[in-house]
């Protein structure tokens, strides 16, 4: 099963996914994902204590380890976990709710880097809309350093998420690279019932978001490049809002 779980189609079919590396496996356990199998390359594994959490342990050869692992360096340890179901109903709203909405993010590495940032920033939830990436893709897990497990995530389409945000009276702050948009550094954005909405690098946000926004913002560009990598942009915006609210 482990070899097949490298493929999105098989992860969906079996409802399991593979986690590589001690740190990431610990994050999945900490987030209460249900552990199933653990695979240990018998010559280099040093984590016998982890076996107690799993239904079954397999000691594997180097040939099998190389075949089923996605990364070159995983410390000789891989494990399978049962997927969780994501629901927008699980998101709890209060006066200081701070959300991130991502529409159509295209690269697993970018999504993972963003989830690492949202975990560090203490974002209450990440809402993925029009999502084409399997969040249990090995690249998402790796680049998030396991933060994909500890983030509060929901997946839906843009229309449903917009409806939910408006119903909950959450202010929608969309981002754009177009000219004559409000400079984030010239605003005072209170971290109260707030959702920052960021789109894909190639397409940006769909028009529905701009029609539904309370404010449209951008990061000012001083050079000849008109945009940043989406994970970099996300980090700048989130921590600028946190900075504004800490002053």
């Amino acid at each position: 099963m482990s070899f097949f779980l490298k493929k999105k189609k098989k992860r969906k079919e079996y409802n399991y996914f593979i986690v590589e590396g001690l740190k990431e496996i610990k994050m999945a356990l900490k987030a209460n994902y249900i552990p199933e199998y653990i695979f240990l390359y018998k010559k280099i594994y040093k984590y016998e204590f982890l076996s107690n959490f799993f239904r079954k342990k397999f000691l594997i050869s180097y040939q099998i380890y190389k075949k089923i692992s996605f990364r070159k360096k995983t410390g000789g340890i891989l494990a399978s976990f049962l997927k969780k179901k994501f629901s927008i109903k699980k998101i709890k709203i209060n006066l200081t709710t701070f959300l991130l909405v991502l529409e159509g993010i295209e690269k697993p590495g970018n999504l993972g880097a963003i989830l690492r940032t949202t975990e560090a920033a203490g974002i209450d939830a990440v809402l993925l809309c029009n999502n084409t990436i399997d969040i249990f893709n090995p690249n998402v897990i790796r680049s998030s350093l396991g933060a994909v497990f500890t983030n509060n995530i929901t997946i839906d389409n843009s229309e449903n998420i917009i409806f939910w945000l408006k119903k909950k009276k959450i202010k929608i702050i969309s981002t754009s690279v177009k000219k004559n948009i409000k400079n984030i550094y010239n605003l005072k954005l209170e971290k109260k019932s707030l959702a920052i909405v960021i789109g894909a690098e190639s397409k940006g946000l769909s028009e529905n978001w701009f029609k539904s926004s309370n404010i449209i913002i951008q990061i000012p560009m001083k050079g000849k490049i008109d945009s940043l990598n989406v994970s970099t942009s996300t980090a700048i915006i989130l921590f600028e809002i946190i900075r504004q609210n800490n002053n």
Side-chain angles (χ1 to χ4, degrees):
M1 180 185 289
S2 177
F3 172 72
F4 292 119
L5 294 180
K6 292 173 73 173
K7 300 178 181 180
K8 179 180 179 180
K9 181 180 179 181
K10 293 299 181 180
R11 290 195 295 271
K12 184 176 181 180
E13 179 182 338
Y14 288 110
N15 207 35
Y16 290 95
F17 62 96
I18 282 288
V19 182
E20 304 180 44
L22 179 62
K23 184 173 185 176
E24 289 85 348
I25 289 172
K26 283 183 174 180
M27 291 285 273
L29 290 170
K30 186 177 181 180
N32 296 317
Y33 277 81
I34 297 174
E36 284 293 316
Y37 307 118
I38 188 167
F39 303 87
L40 301 163
Y41 172 36
K42 54 188 178 183
K43 284 191 176 181
I44 62 174
Y45 81 86
K46 302 174 183 178
Y47 314 111
E48 181 68 27
F49 69 94
L50 275 179
S51 301
N52 297 328
F53 293 97
F54 292 85
R55 192 152 60 92
K56 197 166 184 178
K57 176 179 74 173
F58 296 93
L59 299 181
I60 57 177
S61 66
Y62 176 73
Q63 287 75 21
I64 295 176
Y65 171 68
K66 186 178 179 181
K67 189 173 183 179
I68 67 176
S69 62
F70 189 83
R71 293 154 51 183
K72 291 183 178 180
K73 295 181 180 180
T74 65
I77 182 170
L78 304 92
S80 66
F81 289 83
L82 183 67
K83 288 184 178 181
K84 282 185 180 181
K85 293 183 178 180
F86 302 106
S87 173
I88 203 166
K89 295 178 181 179
K90 295 181 180 180
I91 299 177
K92 297 179 180 179
I93 301 299
N94 55 48
L95 294 176
T96 60
T97 295
F98 190 15
L99 306 174
L100 175 67
V101 180
L102 299 171
E103 184 183 49
I105 301 301
E106 299 159 324
K107 297 179 181 178
N110 280 337
L111 178 57
I114 290 171
L115 293 174
R116 184 177 176 183
T117 295
T118 54
E119 172 67 25
I123 301 303
D124 294 302
V126 179
L127 290 71
L128 303 178
C129 54
N130 300 357
N131 184 53
T132 60
I133 299 172
D134 176 13
I135 68 166
F136 298 112
N137 181 299
N139 272 330
V140 175
I141 297 172
R142 176 179 59 181
S143 55
S144 74
L145 293 185
V148 64
F149 307 127
T150 53
N151 272 275
N152 186 9
I153 298 173
T154 192
I155 302 172
D156 211 322
N157 60 52
S158 296
E159 290 73 20
N160 287 344
I161 290 179
I162 289 171
F163 176 82
W164 181 84
L165 290 172
K166 288 185 172 293
K167 182 180 178 181
K168 297 296 182 179
K169 298 181 179 179
I170 296 173
K171 186 182 292 184
I172 298 174
I173 312 295
S174 293
T175 56
S176 175
V177 298
K178 295 179 181 179
K179 293 182 179 180
N180 302 319
I181 303 298
K182 292 185 178 180
N183 182 333
I184 187 173
Y185 299 120
N186 295 335
L187 298 171
K188 175 65 175 178
L189 297 173
E190 289 189 280
K191 198 176 66 173
K192 293 181 179 179
S193 297
L194 182 68
I196 299 297
V197 189
I198 295 175
E201 291 180 20
S202 62
K203 299 177 182 178
L205 291 173
S206 58
E207 193 61 33
N208 283 344
W209 282 108
F210 296 125
K211 291 178 181 177
S212 304
S213 298
N214 297 92
I215 305 173
I216 303 174
I217 63 171
Q218 67 177 195
I219 301 168
M221 300 287 119
K222 300 297 184 181
K224 295 180 181 179
I225 297 295
D226 66 354
S227 64
L228 297 169
N229 173 276
V230 65
S231 62
T232 302
S233 298
T234 301
I236 290 171
I237 291 169
L238 296 183
F239 278 97
E240 171 59 17
I241 294 172
I242 291 171
R243 185 198 65 80
Q244 289 179 12
N245 284 268
N246 285 340
N247 289 339

